[in-house]
């Protein structure tokens, strides 16, 4: 491939991205610096990323500064610059730059949303590292007072969505709790907006995965959220239904062995907790877990589609599938409690660490490094 040939920009960017993914930033720099389309905005952006990965801090800052002076900015450029500055501990310079960009690009809602998201990410980082800043969690409120026309469900959803795409420590939650409260006070109906709810769910999922907080509750929460916002046009909802069943069974099995205290989960991930709280509290307080399992897990499976039935048949032990089928096909009042044992080699392992090549616990079917591990 001639790197300076017409129409080859996508190939250059793809190859540079592969170099960076394989820890070869030097090759990415050489490729990007020596193409005849080196002044292209996306090439310039990728070059800044390559400098940063090459640990050439001064060159990276100079390159990002050049990119940020453009008339049109992509949210991803603002995000990459912000993450680089946070990694460098340059909170003050980052804040000043983001505020300048907000003023300059106030008419660009996507760029403005990313700037605000990165300001809140910076606040979380300052909280984590005990770094001083004069920016407060009330920044959005102050911004909306000066720019009242900016308030909107789409704008608020974008801010949360961009926060979800940036690594944040769980210590950011007091900051984001205030952020969401400001949004709800501005537009009360935003809380019931599905796009906004999905953004909040994705944000909480990103905190779980960034902190490697993988346990029965978080897996149930991840899968339940994925199922709630699944695209009905895609043929994966039946698999998600099975994975939610599997996660619920794991929660019940955990309770059989030891007490389960969901208070930390509830406090850290309030929206995802709202999706699973009824089930979890019911299981925690159940006097008879077999009866609870029959009423709260198996009964939900009545009327399962043929594909979902096939998925259960593939993932349950023969005796477990037969017992479950017997329950589902029996009259409701006469059905006896059953335990649908799962095939041991098909269970999702629960651990405190996610291996890059392990199946993503969200239930997408992809490897973790190619799914939620990208965040």
């Amino acid at each position: 491939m001639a790197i300076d040939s017409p129409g080859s920009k996508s190939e250059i960017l793809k190859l540079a991205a592969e170099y960076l993914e394989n820890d070869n930033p030097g090759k990415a720099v050489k490729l990007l610096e020596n193409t005849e389309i080196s002044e292209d905005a996306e090439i310039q952006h990728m070059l800044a990323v390559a400098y940063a990965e090459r640990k050439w801090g001064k060159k990276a800052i100079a390159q990002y500064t050049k990119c940020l002076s453009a008339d049109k900015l992509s949210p991803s450029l603002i995000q990459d610059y912000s993450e680089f500055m946070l990694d460098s501990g340059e909170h003050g310079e980052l804040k000043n730059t983001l505020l300048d960009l907000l003023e300059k690009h106030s008419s660009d809602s996507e760029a403005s949303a990313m700037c605000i998201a990165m300001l809140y990410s910076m606040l979380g980082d300052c909280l984590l590292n005990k770094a001083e800043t004069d920016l407060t969690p009330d920044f959005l409120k102050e911004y909306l007072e000066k720019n009242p026309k900016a308030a909107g469900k789409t704008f608020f959803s974008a801010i949360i969505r961009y926060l979800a795409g940036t690594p944040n420590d769980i210590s950011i939650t007091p900051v984001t709790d205030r952020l969401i409260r400001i949004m709800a006070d501005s537009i009360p109906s935003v809380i019931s907006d599905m796009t906004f709810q999905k953004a909040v769910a994705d944000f909480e999922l990103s905190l779980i995965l960034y902190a490697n907080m993988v346990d029965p509750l978080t897996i149930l929460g991840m899968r339940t959220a994925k199922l709630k916002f699944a695209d009905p046009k895609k043929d994966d909802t039946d698999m998600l239904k099975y994975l939610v069943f599997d996660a619920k069974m794991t929660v019940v099995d955990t309770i059989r062995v030891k007490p389960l205290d969901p208070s930390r989960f509830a406090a850290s991930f309030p929206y995802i907790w709202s999706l699973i709280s009824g089930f979890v509290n019911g299981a925690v307080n159940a006097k008879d877990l077999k009866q609870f399992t029959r009423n709260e897990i198996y009964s939900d499976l009545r009327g399962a589609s043929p594909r979902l039935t096939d998925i259960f048949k593939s993932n349950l032990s023969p005796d477990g599938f037969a017992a479950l089928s017997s329950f589902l096909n029996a009259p409701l009042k006469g059905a006896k409690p059953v335990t649908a044992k799962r095939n041991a080699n098909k269970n999702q392992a629960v651990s405190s660490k996610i291996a890059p090549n392990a199946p993503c616990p969200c239930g997408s079917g992809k490897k973790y490094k190619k799914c939620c591990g990208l965040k």
Side-chain angles (χ1 to χ4, degrees), residues 31 71 123 208 218 222 252 254 270 291 294 314 327 340 358 369:
L31 171 69
D71 293 332
L123 273 172
I208 291 171
T218 55
M222 283 189 279
V252 170
T254 301
Q291 183 70 26
R294 184 183 73 171
S314 298
F327 170 81
K369 67 180 182 181

Side-chain angles (χ1 to χ4, degrees), residues 203-217:
F203 172 67
E204 292 185 358
L205 292 179
S206 73
L207 295 181
I208 291 171
L209 292 166
Y210 182 71
N212 277 311
M213 296 175 64
V214 183
D215 58 38
L217 280 184

Side-chain angles (χ1 to χ4, degrees), residues 78-88 94 118 121 165-167:
I78 299 169
Q79 180 180 29
D80 288 340
Y81 166 74
S82 300
E83 291 181 7
F84 168 71
M85 296 299 281
L86 288 176
D87 287 343
S88 303
L94 173 59
M118 294 303 97
S121 188
T166 299

Side-chain angles (χ1 to χ4, degrees), residues 11-323:
E11 290 297 323
I12 295 170
L13 292 171
K14 180 180 178 181
L15 184 56
E18 289 175 357
Y19 284 147
L20 293 174
E21 184 176 347
N22 292 307
D23 296 323
N24 286 314
K27 288 186 176 181
V29 168
K30 186 175 181 179
L31 171 69
L32 296 165
E33 285 184 337
N34 290 287
T35 174
E36 287 189 358
I37 55 173
S38 61
E39 291 305 310
D40 175 86
E42 291 181 74
I43 298 290
Q44 288 284 302
H45 175 185
M46 183 69 81
L47 183 57
V49 174
Y51 284 149
E53 292 293 318
R54 190 71 173 82
K55 308 300 181 186
W56 288 349
K58 290 183 178 180
K59 278 195 169 185
I61 290 176
Q63 185 64 24
Y64 273 124
T65 300
K66 178 181 178 180
C67 293
L68 292 170
S69 66
D71 293 332
K72 179 71 174 176
L73 299 183
S74 68
S76 62
L77 170 62
I78 299 169
Q79 180 180 29
D80 288 340
Y81 166 74
S82 300
E83 291 181 7
F84 168 71
M85 296 299 281
L86 288 176
D87 287 343
S88 303
E90 298 289 346
H91 300 98
E93 185 174 345
L94 173 59
K95 184 203 75 170
N96 292 334
T97 300
L98 290 173
L99 291 177
D100 288 343
L101 293 176
L102 261 178
E103 185 173 349
K104 181 180 178 181
H105 298 275
S106 59
S107 61
D108 186 337
S109 62
E110 289 295 313
S112 296
M114 179 60 84
C115 285
I116 292 172
M118 294 303 97
L119 284 167
Y120 274 88
S121 188
M122 186 207 77
L123 273 172
D125 197 67
C126 288
L127 189 65
L128 175 66
N129 294 292
K130 297 180 173 60
E132 292 186 4
T133 179
D134 57 0
L135 199 70
T136 74
D138 279 331
F139 172 77
L140 179 63
K141 181 179 180 181
E142 297 162 3
Y143 178 80
L144 293 176
E145 287 173 354
K146 296 177 182 177
N147 304 274
K149 291 183 179 180
K153 295 178 183 179
T154 301
F155 184 61
F156 291 164
S157 297
I159 293 172
I160 302 299
R161 186 177 75 250
Y162 288 143
L163 269 170
T166 299
N168 290 292
D169 186 82
I170 196 170
S171 60
I172 196 178
T173 50
V175 171
T176 50
D177 286 349
R178 179 57 185 152
L179 173 65
I180 292 172
R181 174 46 51 199
I182 293 170
M183 293 174 173
D185 288 344
S186 175
I187 305 177
S189 60
V190 74
I191 297 300
S192 59
D193 181 79
M194 285 289 285
T195 301
F196 183 79
Q197 288 181 356
K198 183 180 186 306
V200 173
D202 286 343
F203 172 67
E204 292 185 358
L205 292 179
S206 73
L207 295 181
I208 291 171
L209 292 166
Y210 182 71
N212 277 311
M213 296 175 64
V214 183
D215 58 38
L217 280 184
T218 55
I219 288 178
L220 174 58
M222 283 189 279
R223 293 176 177 177
T224 302
K226 287 282 184 178
L227 180 59
K228 178 177 175 64
F229 299 107
D231 185 349
K233 296 179 181 178
K234 294 183 178 179
D235 190 26
D236 58 1
T237 54
D238 283 329
M239 176 55 75
L240 281 170
K241 287 178 182 178
Y242 167 75
L243 290 171
V244 170
F245 160 86
D246 182 74
K248 285 182 175 179
M249 290 290 292
T250 301
V251 169
V252 170
D253 290 344
T254 301
I255 294 172
R256 285 193 175 102
V257 176
K258 61 183 180 181
L260 184 66
D261 181 7
S263 57
R264 186 189 178 202
F265 183 97
S268 302
F269 314 109
Y271 180 71
I272 294 179
W273 172 244
S274 73
L275 301 180
I276 66 172
S277 58
F279 170 81
V280 175
N281 284 330
V284 169
N285 297 316
K287 294 180 179 179
D288 183 343
L289 279 173
K290 284 188 176 180
Q291 183 70 26
F292 174 82
T293 300
R294 184 183 73 171
N295 292 340
E296 302 298 328
I297 301 180
Y298 300 154
S299 294
D300 288 344
L301 303 177
R302 292 184 182 278
S305 69
R307 183 171 184 273
L308 181 56
T309 302
D310 288 342
I311 292 172
F312 274 100
K313 188 174 183 179
S314 298
N315 286 276
L316 298 179
S317 67
D319 289 344
F321 180 71

